[in-house]
Amino acid sequence: MFIQTEATPNPSTLKFLPGRLVLPESTADFRDADEAERSPLAERLFAVNGVAGVFLGHDFISVTKKDGEWQHMKPAILGAIMEHFMAGVPVMATLKPHAGDEEFFDEGDAELVETIKELIETRVRPAVAQDGGDITFQGYRDGVVYLNMRGSCQGCPSSTATLKHGIQNLLRHFVPEVREVEAVS
């Protein structure tokens, strides 16, 4: 099994491409070892010293470090990913959503929200996934779009620029009612 690695805009996060689907229908973000109990793969990765976060995407895994050097951590992470897939263990034990992931918006804004969500799905998420992250719609209220930033986007030095200059400008262009875009944690 050959696993490619790619740098991300976040120097604390590396993207691992195992050459197979990881989570074909969704994504999963784990910020600590306790949350990782939903995923045997994430649990295995949190067992590597220095791992602070694990994000599972369609065909990639983003790992965020809290300390340590990538040159020391990378072999252990590659080994954990390889062992997991070679053992044939499922990536997720359950796919229940995180608490607090419920969307919010006024029913009167439903058509506007559908346009926003379509733009995020077709134009934003594919580009962000290339950098090892994910951005999903959380809500809309009074001209403000609230987005969840996960994977390498979380804590990335360039995420504010991406959010304010890239995504906000895109949404304002197609949906003039949008005044600004905010990240939720």
Side-chain angles (χ1 to χ4, degrees):
M1 176 176 193
F2 179 72
I3 302 170
Q4 293 179 323
T5 59
E6 292 180 1
T8 71
N10 184 347
S12 297
T13 303
L14 272 181
K15 181 178 174 184
F16 295 84
L17 298 139
R20 58 182 66 188
L21 295 179
V22 178
L23 280 182
E25 302 297 323
S26 64
T27 62
D29 192 21
F30 304 98
R31 298 180 192 194
D32 60 43
D34 292 336
E35 286 184 10
E37 68 184 18
R38 299 184 312 130
S39 167
L41 175 56
E43 279 184 312
R44 195 179 294 247
L45 290 167
F46 272 105
V48 175
N49 193 26
V51 171
V54 174
F55 178 79
L56 306 174
H58 177 76
D59 61 352
F60 67 90
I61 303 153
S62 292
V63 177
T64 303
K65 66 180 178 113
K66 57 183 160 205
D67 53 20
E69 297 297 323
W70 282 120
Q71 64 192 26
H72 301 299
M73 296 176 65
K74 193 170 152 183
I77 293 168
L78 288 167
I81 293 169
M82 190 175 301
E83 287 173 11
H84 175 82
F85 283 109
M86 298 307 266
V89 179
V91 171
M92 296 294 292
T94 63
L95 281 174
K96 62 184 176 187
H98 284 93
D101 278 355
E102 300 83 29
E103 294 179 356
F104 61 88
F105 57 90
D106 279 334
E107 288 303 315
D109 294 325
E111 188 174 322
L112 184 112
V113 166
E114 281 306 309
T115 302
I116 292 168
K117 289 166 76 173
E118 180 181 341
L119 288 166
I120 291 167
E121 285 295 318
T122 59
R123 298 187 180 220
V124 176
R125 288 184 79 196
V128 172
Q130 289 185 338
D131 287 335
D134 194 19
I135 295 179
T136 57
F137 177 84
Q138 180 70 46
Y140 175 80
R141 184 178 298 131
D142 300 323
V144 180
V145 176
Y146 297 91
L147 301 174
N148 283 316
M149 300 180 78
R150 297 184 170 136
S152 67
C153 293
Q154 212 167 23
C156 175
S158 62
S159 65
T160 301
T162 300
L163 194 66
K164 293 297 182 181
H165 300 294
I167 300 169
Q168 184 170 285
N169 288 344
L170 171 81
L171 292 178
R172 280 179 168 172
H173 176 77
F174 288 101
V175 186
E177 294 86 349
V178 172
R179 289 185 298 109
E180 69 179 303
V181 175
E182 293 291 328
V184 294
S185 53

